[in-house]
Amino acid sequence: MATQKATGGAISYYGGKTIHTFTSSGTFATTSNWSPTNVEYLVVGGGGGGSGWDIGGGGGAGAFLSNTNHPIGTHPVSVSVQVGAGGRGSTDISYPISPSAPAYGADGTPSYFGTPLTAPGGGRGGSPAPPSQNGNPGGSGGGGGYGSSGGTGTG
């Protein structure tokens, strides 16, 4: 069985590798007995929220970054990890639209493994409600609602 040479996240072992899974923000820290000089990572941004209208757009997926041979620095080292949140979906389907509960969702927030390894969040979904709101850009752009345009993807 593999032995732990770093801390942070939920730790599991598979195929001779030690896996650190972060479901909330934290710190990945290597110990002084760390033997590899590189790490593998997968970073996924939070998804965007969708419109509450049945003819509104869905939120876009968060972007992802991955690398199988990323140098991490001289050991011991600490890396800040942020787990991006999904965007709030709209629940307002009434007319006229309430300014306190818009008929479009919110953008997802980015996730990162140190900087500059940042995966953007997904764009919010668009709304057909007057005034029409387009889907926002994001890791994957939010979908457009009836009469509005979708957002562009950046990831």
Side-chain angles (χ1 to χ4, degrees), residues 21-34:
T21 304
F22 288 83
T23 57
S24 62
S25 299
T27 302
F28 173 79
T30 64
T31 60
S32 58
N33 67 342
W34 178 273

Side-chain angles (χ1 to χ4, degrees), residues 38-140:
N38 297 338
V39 297
E40 295 182 38
Y41 66 82
L42 173 65
V43 181
V44 182
S51 169
W53 288 64
D54 59 352
I55 54 175
F64 78 94
L65 301 173
S66 65
N67 191 328
T68 59
N69 196 26
H70 179 71
I72 193 168
T74 306
H75 305 287
V77 67
S78 291
V79 178
S80 293
V81 175
Q82 174 176 299
V83 175
R88 164 200 49 78
S90 170
T91 57
D92 187 358
I93 57 172
S94 61
Y95 187 83
I97 301 303
S98 164
S100 63
Y104 49 84
D107 296 331
T109 58
S111 295
Y112 61 78
F113 179 72
T115 53
L117 299 176
T118 302
R124 73 168 191 221
S127 169
S132 178
Q133 298 287 324
N134 292 333
N136 273 356
S140 291

